[in-house]
Amino acid sequence: MRKILNTAHIYMVIGVVSGLYYRELTKAEDFDGDTQLAVVHTHVLALGMLFFLIVLALEKQFTLTADRLFGWFFWIYNAGLAVTVGMMTLHGSLTVLGHASGEGIAMVAGLGHTLLTAGLVLLFVTIGKRLPAASGSGEDGSGSGSGSGDADSSVGDGADDTHVPVAARPEGH
């Protein structure tokens, strides 16, 4: 869990520093146009710091790190975010400095987005594998129920059959 918290903390620092870099570079260059530098800090804070704080809460609840796919998610997602944010920073800096950015930057940024997507898929697979182990067999975490996760697959006790299909209700209801 400490590694996840440290990762969120590192992204917080990078996010704040990238906001400072944006402000100081545009001020030094007397630039007032549109640039990707304007959104680098928000991307880092949201996709880095906030995201990993949410992963920290999920780790506390479901012990995600117990699954070997978590390591793959962690490094692939971080690599994707580093590549994506690096290309945004490079493209934005070139814009502020009055230089054109080539297709290579867009291609590498696309690779970063692909890595982010792969990381997210791995995270969701990891969460899916850990949910049954962490929440018991019932859908409310109490350990009771059919375990199928489908609310319409069980017949209620008659007290509240509003979610049970008519064909599955006990006689007299």
Side-chain angles (χ1 to χ4, degrees), residues 78-97:
N78 278 301
L81 189 54
V83 169
T84 299
V85 167
M87 291 302 102
M88 289 176 71
T89 304
L90 178 59
H91 177 74
S93 297
L94 289 172
T95 302
V96 170
L97 297 173

Side-chain angles (χ1 to χ4, degrees), residues 17-82:
V17 169
S18 65
L20 178 67
Y21 173 73
Y22 161 66
R23 187 189 71 188
E24 293 302 317
L25 182 65
T26 55
K27 190 175 10 172
E29 295 295 321
D30 198 28
F31 182 85
D32 62 359
D34 290 332
T35 175
Q36 282 194 351
L37 283 180
V39 296
V40 169
H41 71 285
T42 53
H43 276 73
V44 173
L45 291 174
L47 295 175
M49 182 192 74
L50 291 175
F51 179 80
F52 277 101
L53 288 175
I54 292 168
V55 169
L56 180 64
L58 290 170
E59 165 63 14
K60 177 74 173 160
Q61 186 68 31
F62 302 114
T63 321
L64 299 177
T65 54
D67 193 291
R68 68 180 189 87
L69 284 180
F70 183 85
W72 284 97
F73 145 73
F74 185 83
W75 293 111
I76 289 173
Y77 183 88
N78 278 301
L81 189 54

